[in-house]
Amino acid sequence: MEITSSHSSGSMMWFFKDKGFDDNSVQGMFRKCRRLEGVHQERASENWDYLRSIGIEERKLPSIVSKCPKILALDLYEKIVPTVECLRTLGTKPNEVASAIAKFPHILSNSVEEKLCPLLAFFQTLGIPEKQIGKMILLNPRLISYSIETKLTEIVNFLVNLGLSKDGMIGKVIVRDPYIMGYSVDKRLRPTSDFLKSIGLSEADLQAVAVNFPGILSRDVNKLLVPNYAYLKKRGFEERQIVALVVGFPPILIKSIQNSLEPRIKFLVDVMGRQVDEVIDYPCFFRHGLKRRIEPRYKLLKERSLNCSLSEMLDCNRKKFFMKFGLLEGHALSN
């Protein structure tokens, strides 16, 4: 596409060059936002400087503008400043708004003030306090761009059908994982829940997993869950044992086999000399760092010929671990 040779376009070309954009990026932005052809360099510079003044790092601005070049065409005082001030009412920390804009620059071109009140009301009906809603929106600013009627309501209905309709359970799920609201029910959430049912999780199990670790519902079944399930079976776990592991520590189905599951199981069996099924009683074994917690604690106990369960060894902080096994002198020396 040829960029118009108007004075505005020419001045914008100089603006982009000055900010370090290459020709391909500039052409792409003009294709993405035709309004740039009529924007004067002064407006673009003013908007750029304002975004920097609210805490967005200069090095991040080219990426932000590339994603949403319309930002440079918006009226600063009629659109951008009111939107930023509106977003500031949602946060408590200084850089939360800047971070939200960096994640989803299109938030500045949305009618935030018009969309915010209905969105707050929608989430409040799910039992989510206003303060938490603010944190959710700034963590996942795309929420403002979703339709309540066609998108958000569909996700809520899906969660209701999982049986999460009591005691604000749906609200808890969304607060824990606001990103779940952006996934397709038919393409992602339902296939994942169907898979979890197919491997033996009961309705109550599925509800517990969804509340404690909702992120698992948005993971790809074929890329993550199926390979991890197959790995656990290969390692000798029976189906009912895998269910216990998943309910006790849902991320076991999405952790890296090569970098997380395999090294821990090998250490458990080959170094610690334990049976692999000991993790059934303590699935959170897979949560702890191998180098930072499992290995050093095992070595300390082995040096003193102390025996204990995996939970006794790992399910406490450093100080309590040393107190429990009478290792306070060693704790003092290590500190």
Side-chain angles (χ1 to χ4, degrees), residues 230-293:
Y231 169 77
L232 293 171
K233 290 200 78 173
K234 181 182 174 183
R235 267 298 187 170
F237 292 104
E238 298 175 8
E239 290 182 5
R240 59 182 177 78
Q241 292 177 320
I242 296 176
V243 169
L245 286 172
V246 172
V247 174
F249 185 63
I252 199 168
L253 283 181
I254 62 173
K255 288 277 188 182
S256 166
I257 294 171
Q258 183 178 352
N259 299 322
S260 183
L261 302 185
E262 179 71 7
R264 282 165 177 77
I265 289 179
K266 285 193 74 171
F267 188 82
L268 177 76
V269 176
D270 298 344
V271 179
M272 296 176 70
R274 296 186 180 235
Q275 296 297 312
V276 72
D277 58 7
E278 284 192 52
V279 296
I280 304 299
D281 294 325
Y282 187 60
C284 284
F285 170 78
F286 294 99
R287 175 170 62 87
H288 300 294
L290 185 57
K291 299 292 184 184
R292 297 191 65 179
R293 180 168 291 202

Side-chain angles (χ1 to χ4, degrees), residues 5-220:
S5 59
S6 71
H7 173 72
S8 296
S9 294
S11 69
M12 283 303 295
M13 287 292 291
W14 282 110
F15 171 83
F16 286 127
K17 292 285 187 184
D18 182 58
K19 298 301 182 185
F21 291 89
D22 59 39
D23 289 341
N24 287 337
S25 298
V26 175
Q27 293 282 353
M29 286 187 287
F30 272 95
R31 281 194 295 268
K32 196 180 288 186
C33 179
R34 299 298 296 269
R35 285 176 61 181
L36 284 179
E37 295 176 9
V39 174
H40 289 277
Q41 183 176 350
E42 292 75 16
R43 167 170 285 189
S45 295
E46 192 177 36
N47 289 3
W48 182 283
D49 292 341
Y50 175 75
L51 293 173
R52 194 176 55 185
S53 76
I54 63 171
I56 298 176
E57 298 174 51
E58 180 93 32
R59 64 182 179 84
K60 291 184 178 179
L61 279 170
S63 172
I64 291 170
V65 170
S66 295
K67 289 177 187 172
C68 184
K70 186 179 178 182
I71 286 177
L72 298 179
L74 297 173
D75 187 283
L76 179 61
Y77 297 103
E78 289 185 10
K79 183 65 178 175
I80 297 179
V81 173
T83 299
V84 169
E85 292 304 315
C86 183
L87 292 172
R88 277 179 172 155
T89 65
L90 302 175
T92 55
K93 297 176 183 176
N95 292 322
E96 282 182 313
V97 172
S99 176
I101 293 169
K103 288 178 188 174
F104 184 59
H106 296 81
I107 196 170
L108 292 177
S109 62
N110 272 273
S111 302
V112 173
E113 291 166 295
E114 293 175 15
K115 292 191 172 186
L116 197 56
C117 285
L119 194 62
L120 289 171
F122 176 78
F123 285 127
Q124 282 173 336
T125 61
L126 300 174
I128 305 174
E130 189 170 333
K131 188 176 180 181
Q132 289 282 4
I133 298 171
K135 288 182 180 178
M136 284 166 40
I137 293 172
L138 293 176
L139 181 64
N140 181 18
R142 287 179 181 272
L143 286 170
I144 284 180
S145 69
Y146 298 147
S147 163
I148 291 175
E149 292 77 16
T150 61
K151 179 68 175 173
L152 302 184
T153 300
E154 184 186 25
I155 304 287
V156 169
N157 288 338
F158 166 78
L159 295 173
V160 168
N161 290 333
L162 288 185
L164 302 175
S165 55
K166 301 174 185 175
D167 304 322
M169 291 170 78
I170 291 176
K172 291 174 185 175
V173 168
I174 298 170
V175 167
R176 284 204 171 127
D177 184 23
Y179 295 101
I180 197 174
M181 305 305 284
Y183 286 92
S184 164
V185 169
D186 293 329
K187 292 180 180 178
R188 183 58 62 85
L189 303 183
R190 187 172 289 115
T192 304
S193 64
D194 287 346
F195 172 79
L196 293 172
K197 291 174 188 174
S198 75
I199 65 172
L201 269 71
S202 66
E203 185 175 331
D205 291 335
L206 188 55
Q207 291 168 8
V209 167
V211 171
N212 294 324
F213 192 76
I216 197 171
L217 293 174
S218 57
R219 296 308 201 272
D220 189 289

